[in-house]
Amino acid sequence: MTDIIENKSLKELNSFGLEVFAKKYANPSTIEELTEICNLHQNLDILILGEGSNILFSGNYQGLILHPEILGKEIIEEDSEEVKIRAYCGENWDGFVEYCVNHGWGGLENLSLIPGSVGSSPVQNIGAYGVEVKDRILWVEGFMMGETLIRKIPNAQCHFDYRDSIFKNEWKGKFIITAVVFRLDKKPVINANYGQLSEVFQSKKTQDIRAMRESVIEIRNSKLPDPKKFGNVGSFFKNPVISAHEFQLLKEKFPNIPSFPSKEGIKIPAAWLIEQSGWKGKRIKDCGTWPNQALVIVNYGNSTGNEILELSKKIQNSVFEKFQIKINREVNLI
Ligand code: FAD
Ligand code: EPU
């Protein structure tokens, strides 16, 4: 049976590096231990914590934090075309991507270097450089809080959307993901359509998924702050999606406004809206926006969750005043 630790510091377990504490904490390493702890503590608020790279703690957590360290990967089925592989929730995401790339299995290489665990990857349907993890998920495995039965949730029932899923909404705090099953290609097709990616990729000696992984890592390292040096959660906000009509009106006022077509409407880079509102590189006390990427809020040292939240609200208000666009948080506020 896993030990329950009282008053556990979460400083190393959230990528903002905030000094907050959990009243109770446990890191079960098997599914049986995880279900048992959940069942025994149904009277407490329970938060499942992956690697804490998309969480903003506004203060100490008064309930039980469960940090599943369930590891392992297993091939379920394979033929000459594809491989179906199960990865358990505690596996590190980028370690898993590297493992797949090293085996020559394509599909996840554009998602290289995204922090976090495999178990969190479906929660906000992680995405980058023209790929979303939903494109490769066959099903998600897990259990409902209070039950022990492992359910298999097929992709179509996960309600995947841009930075969204059933696990971030209706089932938030209710469903615990124990493993994810992916479908990968043995004859990979390269996807180099996003922004500067094609240029960087073309400059590589070989044009394979390994080169794609290197290209993505290179671009990410040039733009995004390393959370080990500067606490952050990647994009703090989602990119807003507006209608073609709203976009037309904005374009008349702001002819240089960048935009990307998406299946829901027109996507506007929140980084641009924030930069144009004068917030790029600005700092209040120990938090501010990253000088190379205005969408990233950074803890420069001793910021608190509330100071970060206050800054983010100021940014939201400025963007709304200037553009009448509401930018919503991507980060999970606890
Ligand atoms: P956590 O922050 O620990 O948890 C996130 C949410 O998932 C919480 O609500 C938590 O309760 C829930 N959760 C975690 N595990 C489980 C589980 N097993 N079962 C049920 N619920 C669970 N994201 C992108 O999409 N694309 C990017 O390009 C990207 N770049 C980033 C760059 C940086 C530098 C950083 C710091 C973050 C970036 N992110 C990006 C955000 C982050 O990496 C992802 O959201 C990641 O999936 C979070 O994983 P985690 O394990 O740290 O989750
Ligand atoms: N831009 C600015 N100012 C900046 C930065 C960017 O104006 O400081 C504008 C530029 O016009 C640029 C555009 O914003 O072309 C897009 O920038 P970028 O390519 O860096 O991507 P993003 O929209 O800011 C999104 C994801 C990232 C993901 C990258 C690459 C969201 C909320 N963010 O960022 O995901 O890595 O694309 O695909 O969709 C995350 O979710 O945490 C995350 C980092």
Side-chain angles (χ1 to χ4, degrees):
M1 166 97 184
T2 322
D3 291 336
I4 304 265
I5 301 168
E6 307 276 333
N7 210 24
K8 163 88 176 171
S9 166
L10 302 174
K11 195 171 168 64
E12 303 295 324
L13 292 169
N14 75 98
S15 66
F16 261 133
L18 300 173
E19 181 69 280
V20 285
F21 291 82
K23 192 163 183 197
K24 291 178 189 292
Y25 168 92
N27 53 344
S29 56
T30 65
I31 294 178
E32 293 69 28
E33 284 172 359
L34 180 61
T35 50
E36 188 184 25
I37 296 181
C38 287
N39 285 332
L40 287 174
H41 295 89
Q42 286 186 47
N43 55 329
L44 294 178
D45 284 336
I46 295 180
L47 174 74
I48 306 294
L49 183 66
E51 297 184 18
S53 65
N54 209 12
I55 280 189
L56 173 61
F57 287 103
S58 59
N60 294 337
Y61 190 72
Q62 300 303 339
L64 167 65
I65 287 198
L66 292 179
H67 174 55
E69 291 188 306
I70 303 166
L71 301 177
K73 312 180 262 294
E74 55 209 21
I75 291 179
I76 296 181
E77 216 179 292
E78 68 180 312
D79 58 24
S80 57
E81 299 290 318
E82 58 182 35
V83 54
K84 293 179 186 163
I85 180 165
R86 174 185 287 117
Y88 285 90
C89 61
E91 286 285 332
N92 170 261
W93 173 258
D94 191 52
F96 176 60
V97 174
E98 186 180 31
Y99 173 87
C100 296
V101 169
N102 286 344
H103 281 77
W105 303 331
L108 300 178
E109 56 282 357
N110 292 44
L111 303 178
S112 290
L113 211 66
I114 296 183
S117 61
V118 166
S120 314
S121 64
V123 174
Q124 73 158 12
N125 176 26
I126 54 169
Y129 300 97
V131 172
E132 288 183 328
V133 75
K134 73 164 172 51
D135 305 335
R136 292 293 164 178
I137 290 179
L138 284 171
W139 67 83
V140 172
E141 295 175 2
F143 63 95
M144 281 291 176
M145 208 69 97
E147 294 180 359
T148 50
L149 175 81
I150 297 293
R151 302 191 193 190
K152 185 171 151 178
I153 316 300
N155 182 307
Q157 286 173 25
C158 295
H159 300 178
F160 287 126
D161 208 336
Y162 165 59
R163 296 296 188 274
D164 208 1
S165 76
I166 194 168
F167 313 109
K168 205 176 173 179
N169 283 298
E170 298 96 305
W171 287 4
K172 185 179 177 171
K174 294 184 184 144
F175 189 80
I176 303 187
I177 297 165
T178 53
V180 184
V181 175
F182 301 89
R183 182 190 57 77
L184 302 172
D185 296 331
K186 288 194 173 170
K187 294 169 186 160
V189 179
I190 295 293
N191 178 349
N193 299 326
Y194 186 97
Q196 67 185 115
L197 185 57
S198 117
E199 208 180 301
V200 177
F201 180 67
Q202 294 303 330
S203 74
K204 300 286 169 200
K205 271 198 222 95
T206 53
Q207 314 282 277
D208 55 10
I209 55 172
R210 207 178 278 265
M212 177 54 78
R213 175 168 164 81
E214 276 170 27
S215 309
V216 168
I217 290 177
E218 214 173 287
I219 299 174
R220 294 183 68 96
N221 280 336
S222 71
K223 282 192 191 172
L224 297 167
D226 176 355
K228 289 197 187 81
K229 295 184 189 142
F230 300 97
N232 75 89
V233 290
S235 304
F236 193 93
F237 303 101
K238 294 197 242 185
N239 288 327
V241 178
I242 60 174
S243 69
H245 176 66
E246 285 168 314
F247 179 66
Q248 212 38 55
L249 295 177
L250 272 173
K251 184 107 183 134
E252 281 164 22
K253 254 176 114 181
F254 306 99
N256 297 330
I257 187 167
S259 66
F260 302 93
S262 82
K263 72 173 184 344
E264 307 84 8
I266 312 268
K267 207 182 255 185
I268 311 290
W272 186 85
L273 298 171
I274 295 169
E275 182 170 345
Q276 298 302 310
S277 305
W279 281 102
K280 186 164 176 170
K282 281 261 173 75
R283 178 170 169 173
I284 300 180
K285 291 190 186 164
D286 246 0
C287 59
T289 61
W290 186 240
N292 288 344
Q293 227 306 352
L295 193 47
V296 179
I297 295 184
V298 172
N299 172 12
Y300 284 101
N302 293 311
S303 197
T304 65
N306 275 325
E307 284 167 357
I308 292 172
L309 192 58
E310 281 310 307
L311 170 69
S312 75
K313 286 180 182 164
K314 287 196 170 89
I315 294 173
Q316 280 173 315
N317 288 341
S318 300
V319 167
F320 192 78
E321 266 169 36
K322 190 166 170 118
F323 298 101
Q324 279 75 56
I325 293 181
K326 186 168 186 284
I327 49 169
N328 294 318
R329 278 194 297 268
E330 176 188 298
V331 69
N332 300 278
L333 176 66
I334 308 293

